Amino acid sequence: MGSNIKLENNHKKDLIGYVTVRKFAGYALPVPMQNKLLRYYCSEKKFNYVLPLCELHLKGNYMSLYGTLERTPINGDVGMASIYMFPKNTNKFYSLNAIIKKKRIRFHFIFEDKDLNHNEIDDFYLNSQMRYFTANKSKFKLE
């Protein structure tokens, strides 16, 4: 008299989302849309989606990003819409990056279609910051 119910064994990894109400890379993407993108990404890549903490709209405040990294397990995965959601301030980035490296966190950037391990984040971040440098180059006068 066995049951016909078959329990599915879920061995998917978790992907912890990170969303923000701030503009990034010229986008003002509502938080529900960011969640929808991350949820779809997880479905496509066979991850369990873990709902994110939402960043407050305070200039230069990245408390939720720090909180996200703190709650991410060693060798865990974090998903975000774009690399441009990281702080422009490189000192803040390197403070975050110390946690990323220590915990060996893997990042998934949807807009850039990149999935990077903790050792690849530095170069990708620095390359992304070149966008701001070239956008501001007209402010510099060469004589």
Side-chain angles (χ1 to χ4, degrees), residues 13-61:
K13 281 187 77 176
D14 289 342
L15 184 125
I16 299 172
Y18 173 72
V19 298
T20 185
V21 295
R22 281 197 274 290
K23 283 186 178 182
F24 54 90
Y27 298 102
L29 202 60
V31 167
M33 183 59 71
Q34 292 175 59
N35 274 317
K36 192 169 193 157
L37 287 169
L38 288 164
R39 198 177 296 276
Y40 180 78
Y41 179 87
C42 286
S43 165
E44 203 175 60
K45 303 289 184 178
K46 308 292 187 246
F47 281 98
N48 291 315
Y49 183 51
V50 178
L51 286 172
L53 305 171
C54 186
E55 198 70 76
L56 300 173
H57 186 60
L58 299 172
K59 188 175 174 83
N61 180 342

Side-chain angles (χ1 to χ4, degrees), residues 96-105 118-122:
L96 292 162
N97 198 36
I99 301 167
I100 293 167
K101 286 188 177 301
K102 180 180 177 187
K103 296 180 93 175
R104 298 184 304 274
I105 298 171
H118 61 281
N119 289 318
E120 299 169 311
I121 297 286
D122 289 14

Side-chain angles (χ1 to χ4, degrees), residues 104-118:
R104 298 184 304 274
I105 298 171
R106 181 170 209 75
F107 272 83
H108 304 259
F109 302 105
I110 295 174
F111 287 178
E112 293 84 12
D113 193 26
K114 292 285 187 186
D115 153 13
L116 303 171
N117 71 37
H118 61 281

Side-chain angles (χ1 to χ4, degrees), residues 72-102:
T72 302
I74 292 174
N75 295 316
D77 292 80
V78 172
M80 54 199 328
S82 176
I83 184 73
Y84 295 102
M85 294 169 73
F86 273 115
K88 285 183 191 177
N89 179 307
T90 53
N91 289 333
K92 281 189 183 175
F93 169 76
Y94 284 117
S95 172
L96 292 162
N97 198 36
I99 301 167
I100 293 167
K101 286 188 177 301
K102 180 180 177 187

